Amino acid sequence: MNLRRRLELREDQWLSPFAARSAASRGRLKPEDECSLRPSFQHDRDRILYSKAFRRLKHKTQVFLAPTGDHYRTRLTHTLEVAQIARTLARGLKLNEDLTEAIALGHDLGHTPFGHAGESVLNRLLPEGFHHWEQSLRVVDVLEKDGQGLNLTHEVRMGIQGHSKGRGQFLAAPGEEPGLTLEAQLVRAADVMAYIAHDTDDAARGGVIAQEDLPTLVLQVLGPRLSRQIDTMVRDLLNQTLAGDGNCLLMSPQVTEAMWELREFLYQRVYDNLEVHADFIKASKVIEELFERLVKDDRFYLAQVGELPPPGERPRRAADYIAGMTDRYALSLYEQTFLPRPWGRF
Ligand code: MG
């Protein structure tokens, strides 16, 4: 019996009846022989970790645009914090940790440069619209490995696509989303826990807010600092879910309300803050002008991306190319393309 099979049997013995099992996966887009060492979700986790899109997350905006301070989060550190929280939750609930980690590491691969500013520009310019969670799936299915995709399992793909509920509820009601594994729902909850805590921390670091500005309910229930906030949210989800039937994730009304309040506070004071936002208006112009140039100028497209696509696919391909850029790549391409360079010879 190979190691993968032994690990699959261990999953059967250890995991909750509501957990997803590697051996019971609905399979990959293209059938392939499974690895003899790693169960399928563990293999997917590794494929995501070694992808180029994953490495580019280190230079993509989380909240602050291309931060030069070393301690601000980027998409990469956000992703790692989400994975960390989600794995703690998965282990505590006896859910599939490999599946949880694979979804967490892949959930933000489709983010554009400059965060939501880049996303909303592409959403306006592309006839079919643009959403980062759909783009994350496109990255793993189509764009990675020079157009071959990573050929991930159905459960990881659905978790990546279903990770965001925007500003809405972050826990699904029982039976509300039957196609989504509990592991995918855990990542969605961990995503919110991670970003409300670390964005508060970064906003305080950047002097945009002071910790004592936090709403009273947030201070009372979640506490002023990141470590206690995350500890409170994680314990609450574990305790409430373990006290229930185990087939859906639960949190107490008190902690849920404090999380909502902190998220609204961040929207008002940080994400929509004029000082933070001013550079995103400039960044939107960078994305828009690069997009127009890629769509209209054959020579520019050929020089950047390579072979011209069929005419109808040009906007989609241009958006793929731009979405893959890091903040610093987009800024430097804009500078080379649109700004004059001083003559350097004396
Ligand atoms: Mg995220």
Side-chain angles (χ1 to χ4, degrees), residues 135-166:
Q135 188 68 11
S136 295
L137 189 64
R138 192 166 158 79
V139 167
V140 298
D141 279 356
V142 181
L143 300 174
E144 260 302 310
K145 280 181 82 181
D146 300 320
Q148 291 178 63
L150 300 177
N151 200 28
L152 304 179
T153 55
H154 173 81
E155 292 74 9
V156 174
R157 296 176 56 247
M158 289 305 100
I160 288 174
Q161 190 187 30
H163 90 83
S164 182
K165 284 189 107 186

Side-chain angles (χ1 to χ4, degrees), residues 62 75 78-79 82 104 107-108 111 132 163 187 191-192 194-195 198:
Q62 172 57 30
R75 280 283 156 202
H78 161 70
T79 295
V82 173
H107 86 281
D108 269 354
H111 263 292
H132 75 266
H163 90 83
V187 174
D191 190 19
V192 179
Y195 84 72
H198 67 47

Side-chain angles (χ1 to χ4, degrees), residues 253-269:
Q254 195 193 26
V255 171
T256 308
E257 202 187 319
M259 287 172 69
W260 277 79
E261 206 158 306
L262 181 52
R263 185 165 65 176
E264 282 311 308
F265 172 82
L266 286 169
Y267 271 98
Q268 283 165 27
R269 295 286 304 272

Side-chain angles (χ1 to χ4, degrees), residues 88-127:
T88 302
L89 293 170
R91 198 176 291 186
L93 298 172
K94 294 190 172 183
L95 294 176
N96 196 311
E97 221 174 303
D98 291 332
L99 173 60
T100 306
E101 191 179 11
I103 296 170
L105 294 182
H107 86 281
D108 269 354
L109 291 179
H111 263 292
T112 61
F114 315 129
H116 294 283
E119 182 172 7
S120 62
V121 175
L122 291 182
N123 189 37
R124 174 162 54 80
L125 296 175
L126 262 195

Side-chain angles (χ1 to χ4, degrees), residues 275-289:
E275 201 190 340
V276 177
H277 205 66
D279 274 330
F280 286 102
I281 297 169
K282 298 180 202 162
S284 304
K285 190 167 128 63
V286 170
I287 299 285
E288 182 155 3
E289 291 190 20

